[in-house]
Amino acid sequence: MVKTPDRRKASKAGSTGTTMDALVSLAKRRGFVYPGSDIYGGLANAWDYGPLGAELKNNIKRLWWERFVHRHDDIVGLDAAIIMNPKVWAASGHLSGFADQLVDCRNCKERFRADHVGADHIGTDAACPNCGKKGAFTKPRKFNLMFKTFIGPAEDEAHVAYLRPETAQGMFVDYKQVLDSTRVKLPFGMAQIGKAFRNEITPGNFIFRTREFEQMEIEYFFAPPASDAAWQEIFEQWRAEILAWIKQVGIDPARVHEVEVGDGERAHYSKRTVDFEFDFPFGQEELYGLAYRTNFDLSAHGKASNEQLTYTDPETKQSFVPHCIEPSMGLDRTLLALLVSAYRQDGERVYLALPPAVAPYKAAVFPLLRNKPELIKKARAVYEALRKDFYVMWDDRGNIGKRYYAQDEIGTPVGLTVDFDTLKDDTVTWRDRDTAGQERVKVSELAARLSKLISGASD
Ligand code: GAP
């Protein structure tokens, strides 16, 4: 049975102090995440990333790529097609097994994922979460989660194709081409960030479970292990890497729980899986997964394609199918966990304590007063100089207190105010988002200080 996301029962107790309502409202109001197709009444659980959400997402991806591709000599990047030859999905096991059990409520006709409503066994008298009626669920039946489409104008079985349900398969299918075209030697990894699509039966909880989402995945290949200890050592290294990434990106590690996935619960390809779960406001749920996929995928694709998806050891000249460990991280869940971790309320003041490396704007520049041309001129000069190297915001609306609050709410780490002293001594007020503390900093030192702030937080 192929593992589908979040197979374990949803919403164990877990509270973060941040309500989803507060987050969803801030995300919409300030342009992080909007309901998709809103003017047409929306589309079930489709979300659009607004200007700040797009920045935040890009910053997370850049940080991830720098960490796992640029700083790892043994990992190369890939950007494979979303629509692949359908034979890929037959060989990977997705066509036959990437399914959830679904049930219908005979009373209100709503449809649910069986394990989400306690109806994954026949004869259950579980209550329908929609109408409350007990014992009204139909027998569970299988529903394949892949999105179907057609290649070309003919909409018949011969032209069926699928949107990929995971980015992973691109890396297995391109394994040989990467081996032949680069200088990689085992052990090595391939990394990919991209969209994946699943026709989830019950998506929900904002951007937590959607039908279209982004994954950041690595397939790390190594020689067939001589013992369990050999693959377990690599598994442990990746476990530590995931925890280090969680810390770096700004997700609160105190809210993360590692859960060993039991024998009957793992995906068909996995010999061991550890889920990294997070205390979301709606409960403890899967954030990331780490799986030992053995040589399942390369063997299956080698067999189905008649290609040698092997590796020949340059010293021993022995050929074998490599094994692989897969850290798999959802980008949208990263963003949600980050917002939950960063959300702070301090009296009236709400701020997002985002690490400067991922914050949409790195600083905001304000003239103290908007009707003083000499202040505007100087502030514009500071802004223009900084924007060469940083994404900074210009704001001259309302009073200075309101501007600080507005920036706090979107996580801008620093506010820089140009006032009359600036004209005399070339210093500005540097106002820290988290402490609201202020100090004077020379204009000539701003760029270096901002760089330090950004890289310091991302080290
Ligand atoms: N290649 C392995 C794989 O796809 P998975 O546990 O099904 O494993 C990996 O998915 C990660 O992708 C999850 O831990 C989660 O972060 C993210 N993810 C999966 N389904 C999702 C969905 N419907 N919406 C948002 N993110 C999802």
Side-chain angles (χ1 to χ4, degrees):
M1 174 84 172
V2 175
K3 175 183 170 248
T4 55
D6 321 307
R7 181 160 294 292
R8 270 158 293 109
K9 301 273 182 291
S11 295
K12 285 151 251 163
S15 157
T16 64
T18 314
T19 66
M20 279 309 285
D21 285 352
L23 270 188
V24 175
S25 147
L26 187 150
K28 180 173 156 90
R29 192 163 30 83
R30 300 307 309 271
F32 283 96
V33 185
Y34 305 130
S37 310
D38 198 36
I39 60 168
Y40 290 103
L43 176 71
N45 286 288
W47 299 94
D48 294 342
Y49 288 88
L52 296 187
E55 289 297 329
L56 184 53
K57 229 177 161 190
N58 282 339
N59 290 343
I60 296 169
K61 288 198 258 191
R62 188 184 38 74
L63 209 61
W64 190 90
W65 199 262
E66 271 170 17
R67 178 181 190 99
F68 291 111
V69 182
H70 292 180
R71 293 193 195 164
H72 269 266
D73 285 343
D74 54 349
I75 298 184
V76 292
L78 191 78
D79 187 2
I82 286 173
I83 301 175
M84 305 176 77
N85 188 317
K87 289 178 185 166
V88 170
W89 308 113
S92 68
H94 284 82
L95 272 183
S96 56
F98 194 59
D100 273 342
Q101 301 281 346
L102 69 79
V103 288
D104 292 300
C105 172
R106 286 196 205 91
N107 188 44
C108 69
K109 313 291 178 223
E110 276 290 316
R111 185 160 285 178
F112 303 94
R113 216 170 96 174
D115 61 335
H116 282 183
V117 292
D120 37 2
H121 55 281
I122 299 165
T124 176
D125 69 343
C128 169
N130 188 47
C131 68
K133 179 106 176 153
K134 284 189 169 178
F137 289 122
T138 56
K139 268 201 299 194
R141 62 184 187 284
K142 256 181 158 190
F143 171 73
N144 192 293
L145 296 179
M146 286 210 291
F147 268 101
K148 237 184 202 176
T149 185
F150 299 93
I151 306 242
E155 297 196 359
D156 55 27
E157 274 307 302
H159 296 88
V160 165
Y162 301 90
L163 306 188
R164 67 181 176 201
E166 61 171 6
T167 63
Q169 294 303 323
M171 295 184 266
F172 298 122
V173 169
D174 281 345
Y175 163 82
K176 191 172 177 331
Q177 305 201 79
V178 168
L179 203 62
D180 292 347
S181 61
T182 68
R183 293 157 50 129
V184 289
K185 283 209 178 77
L186 278 189
F188 75 89
M190 288 159 74
Q192 177 162 224
I193 301 178
K195 290 254 176 173
F197 302 81
R198 295 181 190 179
N199 203 357
E200 300 278 5
I201 301 162
T202 41
N205 284 327
F206 193 36
I207 53 173
F208 174 77
R209 185 179 298 103
T210 49
R211 297 197 166 96
E212 175 182 343
F213 55 96
E214 268 183 276
Q215 291 185 316
M216 308 183 287
E217 295 197 298
I218 295 166
E219 305 304 328
Y220 196 76
F221 299 102
F222 49 92
S227 62
D228 278 349
W231 67 262
Q232 275 160 358
E233 193 185 329
I234 305 173
F235 198 92
E236 288 309 315
Q237 281 162 8
W238 278 105
R239 204 167 157 158
E241 282 272 7
I242 291 179
L243 290 173
W245 158 254
I246 282 173
K247 210 166 150 225
Q248 177 186 6
V249 76
I251 293 173
D252 181 359
R255 289 174 170 161
V256 174
H257 312 274
E258 290 177 60
V259 178
E260 192 75 46
V261 180
D263 280 348
E265 301 265 288
R266 282 193 305 273
H268 63 301
Y269 52 71
S270 178
K271 187 158 172 182
R272 184 181 178 195
T273 299
V274 168
D275 279 350
F276 293 75
E277 299 190 344
F278 181 82
D279 292 324
F280 290 99
F282 43 83
Q284 184 182 320
E285 291 284 351
E286 178 181 333
L287 172 66
Y288 299 149
L290 175 65
Y292 172 31
R293 290 182 83 127
T294 67
N295 60 1
F296 175 86
D297 300 271
L298 286 185
S299 297
H301 288 305
K303 213 166 141 200
S305 65
N306 279 326
E307 285 282 348
Q308 295 284 313
L309 302 187
T310 52
Y311 182 84
T312 305
D313 187 300
E315 274 155 35
T316 64
K317 308 294 178 215
Q318 274 185 326
S319 289
F320 48 79
V321 180
H323 284 227
C324 142
I325 280 177
E326 176 194 70
S328 179
M329 310 178 214
L331 176 57
D332 309 78
R333 287 189 193 177
T334 303
L335 196 142
L336 182 56
L338 189 53
L339 288 180
V340 172
S341 303
Y343 191 92
R344 305 272 191 288
Q345 180 126 30
D346 175 13
E348 288 286 282
R349 190 167 87 93
V350 167
Y351 64 101
L352 291 183
L354 294 170
V358 292
Y361 293 109
K362 306 308 174 198
V365 179
F366 316 116
L368 181 65
L369 301 168
R370 58 188 303 191
N371 56 356
K372 295 286 173 198
E374 63 275 38
L375 287 187
I376 299 281
K377 190 171 167 212
K378 180 66 186 169
R380 279 307 298 185
V382 170
Y383 170 71
E384 295 295 344
L386 288 178
R387 71 191 287 213
K388 289 190 185 115
D389 297 311
F390 309 96
Y391 193 44
V392 286
M393 190 182 177
W394 169 265
D395 193 0
D396 61 2
R397 297 158 309 161
N399 67 42
I400 196 76
K402 280 196 178 139
R403 292 182 213 158
Y404 285 148
Y405 272 37
Q407 292 303 320
D408 288 345
E409 213 186 23
I410 59 171
T412 309
V414 180
L416 302 170
T417 303
V418 169
D419 55 21
F420 292 105
D421 285 342
T422 314
L423 305 179
K424 287 185 232 146
D425 61 8
D426 217 33
T427 64
V428 298
T429 299
W430 171 291
R431 189 256 189 194
D432 181 275
R433 170 197 68 199
D434 298 348
T435 63
Q438 302 188 4
E439 59 181 306
R440 300 296 294 188
V441 173
K442 282 204 167 89
V443 169
S444 59
E445 289 169 8
L446 288 176
R449 264 192 79 156
L450 272 179
S451 287
K452 204 167 153 213
L453 189 73
I454 295 161
S455 63
S458 71
D459 275 346

